[in-house]
Amino acid sequence: MMSPFLRFTLLGTAALATLLGAHRHAAPRVTIDTGTLEGVADSATGVMVFRGIPYAAPPVGELRWRPPQTAAHWSGIRDASKLGHNCVQHQPYDDIDPFTAGVSEDCLYLNVWTNPLDRRAPRRPVLVWIHGGGFWAGFGGEERHNGAPLAKKGAVVVTLNYRLGPFGFLAHPALAAESPHHAAGNYGLLDQIAALEWVKRNIARFGGDPSRVTIFGESAGGMSVGSLIASPLAKGLFQRAILESGTGVGGIGVMSRDTAQAVAVLFADSAHVRGTGADAARQLRALNADTLLAASLHLGRPGEPRFFPSVDGWVLPHAVDTALLQGKANLVPVIVGTNRDEGDEWMAAPSRAFARLTSARGVPTYMYIFSRVGDDSVNRKRGAYHSAEITFVFGRPHPILASAGTSSYDSTVAEAMSDYWVAFATTGDPNGPPTAGKWPRWPRYNPATDALLEIGPAIAARTMVKRAVYDSLDAVARSRGQLRPR
């Protein structure tokens, strides 16, 4: 017969175990500079996620087309289990659906994935993702940007929304006239900078190391990363950078001031707002978001974005290539690369030019080519297309979209890419932990050899196979007045 003392001890132990288990799976809380957040924890992995965190004030009313302002404080506990609104956009791409969380001008929110907090543990490297979508679509909370697999590997992952289309990149002369910097049009970039400032102030409270921040992005996100490298306003806010299929070199994704202003005036005219004085700015701010979005869709060919970052003299004093060539950029270790079948002229050659510009400044530079293709006949014809690598960068062993097909080596590609990205975020070298001894060594870029890493059916160091093609494209670009290193 069990003694009363033993029975009491066992019951107490069971109760304590239940209490500890409940605590382990309880909703996690973190207090940041504007208040306390309550996120959610994955009971299977322990990864914690905090969604819909405001990093700036809603850019509405008089704050439309102005630099982001400080987010308001709140009292009590803020629910951080759901995404914030996505920035105003339509749906030009069938693989990006922004409407589940709703679209609004009140959209400056970010999301954080991290492991359970332990004050005794070393702070972890931070990966800040900037989404693509042509600067007029996309959002940080897309499921393919789920940061849990990267967090499991030891990173703190941040994804963010930034203003898009005419809301983010309208360089109208009337807006420049009211700016103390005489600059307009780069509000989306200013949002990204505000998010990085938020990271610097707050990420340690999520276990992140604010002195080891890596910005990474694809397509317009890669062009954003290139623009942030070129922007003096982003100095000190990141220590490494990864540019996937987009750099901003050669004016691809970055406009001149004159072109941006001309587009803005044409846009305002389509919204029946004439002139370039203060009254034009007032009239534009008086229009509702739907009217402005509809007016933007009348510019250019259907499905063609017309709003991009621009050389405004403040956020971007120089084009990306000029800033790199003159040493006026934020020079940090970089990874830059493209997918094999997304285009030589508009993607691969400018990416090599970017690598040559950074390596010429003594910056540790690593290039890659992504060559994974689905096994089915449709995907074999389609090839390694634009955006195909995102799934694997985020460590997913299988693509989310059925249209991407599958291959027998998908899980290997996902494991390798996410390892390389976390290793780079950790030390500035993709060959460190957790990559060291597990995957082939990634050679540092050298313009004499055009060394890179292929990530696909094989993961191996290569010499660029289209060097002659890129040399010819660089020559054509130089004949058009673009900067291309030899």
Side-chain angles (χ1 to χ4, degrees):
M1 181 176 179
M2 186 181 297
S3 70
F5 176 78
L6 182 58
R7 183 181 298 111
F8 175 81
T9 301
L10 291 174
L11 287 172
T13 301
L16 179 60
T18 300
L19 179 63
L20 289 174
H23 177 73
R24 185 164 57 246
H25 301 308
R29 292 182 179 178
V30 170
T31 298
I32 61 173
D33 58 358
T34 46
T36 299
L37 301 160
E38 184 172 272
V40 293
D42 184 332
S43 59
T45 64
V47 171
M48 304 186 306
V49 57
F50 298 81
R51 298 182 176 93
I53 305 171
Y55 67 84
V60 300
E62 281 301 306
L63 294 184
R64 180 192 282 170
W65 298 311
R66 297 191 193 277
Q69 303 299 303
T70 304
H73 290 250
W74 63 84
S75 58
I77 309 299
R78 182 184 178 96
D79 179 17
S81 65
K82 301 178 180 64
L83 295 174
H85 288 138
N86 299 320
C87 293
V88 176
Q89 59 192 280
H90 72 305
Q91 190 177 6
Y93 310 115
D94 59 9
D95 60 340
I96 301 176
D97 178 6
F99 301 115
T100 301
V103 296
S104 171
E105 286 188 86
D106 176 5
C107 64
L108 300 186
Y109 299 95
L110 55 75
N111 316 294
V112 179
W113 286 261
T114 186
N115 283 309
L117 304 178
D118 182 351
R119 292 188 179 90
R120 298 166 298 179
R123 290 180 178 173
R124 298 184 287 277
V126 182
L127 281 159
V128 179
W129 173 254
I130 303 174
H131 71 77
F135 293 108
W136 72 336
F139 57 102
E142 287 184 56
E143 181 54 29
R144 62 179 164 177
H145 307 157
N146 188 311
L150 292 174
K152 285 174 64 178
K153 293 192 173 192
V156 176
V157 181
V158 179
T159 69
L160 60 103
N161 298 342
Y162 57 93
R163 281 173 281 182
L164 301 167
F167 303 93
F169 300 97
L170 186 69
H172 197 279
L175 302 177
E178 67 185 18
S179 163
H181 308 283
H182 309 290
N186 285 323
Y187 309 104
L189 290 182
L190 287 168
D191 294 342
Q192 295 168 16
I193 291 167
L196 289 171
E197 290 171 338
W198 182 97
V199 167
K200 187 172 184 177
R201 295 193 310 270
N202 291 293
I203 206 64
R205 306 180 194 197
F206 297 86
D209 184 349
S211 69
R212 287 190 296 166
V213 174
T214 299
I215 54 174
F216 70 132
E218 182 271 343
S219 192
M223 296 168 193
S224 294
V225 171
S227 297
L228 294 172
I229 288 173
S231 176
L233 303 188
K235 184 177 181 179
L237 296 178
F238 58 94
Q239 290 71 44
R240 352 223 186 264
I242 303 174
L243 304 92
E244 303 171 22
S245 303
T247 62
V249 164
I252 300 172
V254 179
M255 286 179 166
S256 70
R257 189 201 304 254
D258 289 346
T259 299
Q261 287 188 348
V263 169
V265 170
L266 186 64
F267 164 79
D269 187 69
S270 70
H272 308 293
V273 174
R274 312 287 193 267
T276 58
D279 191 55
R282 285 193 294 270
Q283 290 181 58
L284 285 167
R285 286 196 176 98
L287 295 174
N288 65 45
D290 290 341
T291 298
L292 293 169
L293 181 62
S296 72
L297 302 182
H298 293 306
L299 297 180
R301 293 172 296 185
E304 179 185 65
R306 292 296 301 272
F307 297 95
F308 298 96
S310 58
V311 179
D312 65 349
W314 177 47
V315 182
L316 284 178
H318 307 283
V320 175
D321 41 17
T322 301
L324 289 169
L325 186 68
Q326 297 180 356
K328 295 179 179 179
N330 301 308
L331 299 176
V332 299
V334 297
I335 289 175
V336 57
T338 59
N339 299 349
R340 188 189 63 197
D341 302 302
E342 59 187 350
D344 292 332
E345 182 175 3
W346 78 287
M347 195 57 65
S351 293
R352 188 187 71 158
F354 185 95
R356 290 190 166 187
L357 287 164
T358 55
S359 62
R361 307 299 306 184
V363 172
T365 301
Y366 301 88
M367 282 205 76
Y368 73 88
I369 185 167
F370 179 82
S371 59
R372 177 268 177 197
V373 175
D375 288 336
D376 58 284
S377 59
V378 171
N379 274 290
R380 285 197 298 271
K381 183 177 180 180
R382 189 183 188 191
Y385 57 88
H386 191 61
S387 80
E389 88 290 353
I390 296 174
T391 290
F392 302 98
V393 163
F394 279 86
R396 284 182 174 271
H398 305 291
I400 292 176
L401 297 175
S403 60
T406 60
S407 79
S408 59
Y409 54 89
D410 279 351
S411 59
T412 300
V413 170
E415 183 75 2
M417 287 197 90
S418 54
D419 276 352
Y420 281 121
W421 265 232
V422 170
F424 182 74
T426 302
T427 65
D429 183 342
N431 298 298
T435 304
K438 184 177 178 182
W439 302 109
R441 184 166 184 81
W442 190 332
R444 186 163 162 171
Y445 178 75
N446 181 338
T449 62
D450 279 335
L452 51 72
L453 186 76
E454 180 178 356
I455 304 173
I459 298 173
R462 307 284 193 207
T463 298
M464 194 175 286
V465 297
K466 291 187 175 182
R467 297 184 71 189
V469 173
Y470 301 154
D471 288 345
S472 297
L473 290 171
D474 283 351
V476 171
R478 281 191 290 271
S479 72
R480 296 171 178 169
Q482 296 180 20
L483 290 174
R484 291 292 172 89
R486 296 181 186 275

